[in-house]
Amino acid sequence: MPLVCVCSPKGGVGKTTVAANLAWSLARAGSKVLAIDFDVQNALRLHFGVPLSDGRGFVARSEEHSDWSQSILTTGGNIFVLPYGDVTEEQRERFEDRLARDPHFLQRGLDTVLRYPGLVIIADFPPGPGPAIKAISALADMHLVVMLADTASVSLLPQIENNRMIGQPLNNKHGHYFVLNQSDNRRNINRDVTAFMQQRLGEQLVGVINRDESVGEANASQQSVYDFSPASAAAFDIELISKRIASLLNVTVGNGEVQAPIRTSHY
């Protein structure tokens, strides 16, 4: 049961889109994938066709149910989604307070899915530091840090390298890796930053995703980039990244068959 955390020190880098398409890529390869949203924006679900009007999620229900798997939605195929859900400001504050104060809160909530055989979990987190990204550090197998090919990302790199994002190493199992998103070779600054990141990060840079209009268009139609434009550059880049992650985590891709029931709700 590998758990991959997708995070970033800043917003606006396409982190959620990367998380969603990474889940799609792993599912297409035959893995059962659970996409979990820890971001209050509750946007991850939209990438999997969950209607905007569907406000169900695990955060509000966590006050009554310790097992968060009861809030999983099935999308068909190999992908399941655990949305953040619509919450009030008070509910968000109480949830984050429990994450910060109760060291076993997150473990209890995810216990059922953490024990599910062969399941790959992709968890999306809000940008920057926060109680959720810190609470999950002991459970995660890998952190994937999404950056842009711009000078702002270069300036934030020391925050990750010096363990200032959560006050400790992001991950003590397989470590943390980087993805450079929306790289455009037609722009000088993009080329320069990409070359700098490749040299600076070396093997820690698991891939570069080329800027591709089909990604935004796929998002607007609530599809994966593979369904919307399977021959696109971004689809190729994300598939390479998913294969690299699967190799680093020794993910054994099966035939996608469900070995035991996962508690889900249909939408």
Side-chain angles (χ1 to χ4, degrees):
M1 186 293 310
L3 168 57
V4 179
C5 299
V6 182
C7 59
S8 177
K10 67 184 289 290
V13 301
K15 168 187 56 62
T16 298
T17 299
V18 170
N21 281 299
L22 179 60
W24 278 114
S25 181
L26 291 166
R28 287 175 72 248
S31 294
K32 283 290 178 184
V33 181
L34 172 64
I36 305 178
D37 195 353
F38 282 95
D39 194 330
V40 69
Q41 294 183 64
N42 195 30
L44 184 62
R45 66 197 167 111
L46 301 178
H47 291 266
F48 303 105
V50 178
L52 183 64
S53 59
D54 191 333
R56 289 177 294 174
F58 71 95
V59 172
R61 295 191 67 189
S62 68
E63 296 181 330
E64 302 171 0
H65 303 283
S66 59
D67 182 1
W68 301 347
S69 70
Q70 297 180 41
S71 297
I72 292 176
L73 304 180
T74 181
T75 67
N78 290 343
I79 293 186
F80 301 86
V81 184
L82 185 55
Y84 190 98
D86 292 340
V87 298
T88 65
E89 181 66 9
E90 291 75 18
Q91 287 173 323
R92 181 194 64 80
E93 289 177 347
R94 288 195 295 269
F95 178 74
E96 293 185 354
D97 183 66
R98 292 192 68 181
L99 282 173
R101 292 177 178 273
D102 184 347
H104 304 295
F105 177 56
L106 193 145
Q107 170 77 59
R108 288 194 303 270
L110 296 179
D111 186 61
T112 297
V113 297
L114 290 174
R115 291 186 287 106
Y116 183 83
L119 184 68
V120 179
I121 300 175
I122 305 295
D124 183 40
F125 290 83
I133 192 71
K134 189 168 186 177
I136 208 165
S137 61
L139 301 177
D141 294 280
M142 175 191 290
H143 279 64
L144 194 64
V145 184
V146 181
M147 311 282 267
L148 290 179
D150 61 9
T151 53
S153 291
V154 173
S155 69
L156 290 170
L157 195 55
Q159 183 177 338
I160 305 297
E161 295 177 327
N162 298 326
N163 301 325
R164 294 204 301 267
M165 188 163 169
I166 62 172
Q168 62 188 48
L170 279 174
N171 193 285
N172 289 314
K173 292 183 180 179
H174 289 82
H176 66 272
Y177 292 83
F178 294 85
V179 166
L180 204 58
N181 194 27
Q182 299 180 20
S183 179
D184 190 343
N185 284 328
R186 297 170 299 180
R187 300 180 178 179
N188 291 335
I189 190 64
N190 273 196
R191 288 200 306 270
D192 292 344
V193 169
T194 299
F196 171 80
M197 290 290 203
Q198 288 171 330
Q199 182 178 21
R200 175 74 168 264
L201 299 174
E203 291 297 312
Q204 274 191 293
L205 182 63
V206 295
V208 177
I209 302 174
N210 284 286
R211 186 175 183 84
D212 190 333
E213 294 301 323
S214 63
V215 174
E217 293 169 358
N219 293 348
S221 61
Q222 291 190 295
Q223 297 181 61
S224 75
V225 69
Y226 302 101
D227 291 328
F228 185 84
S229 181
S232 69
F236 178 76
D237 296 334
I238 295 168
E239 186 169 5
L240 289 180
I241 291 169
S242 71
K243 288 180 178 178
R244 177 81 192 283
I245 291 172
S247 175
L248 289 167
L249 296 177
N250 296 315
V251 173
T252 301
V253 177
N255 56 12
E257 293 182 356
V258 179
Q259 300 177 31
I262 302 179
R263 295 179 182 177
T264 63
S265 299
H266 291 270
Y267 58 84

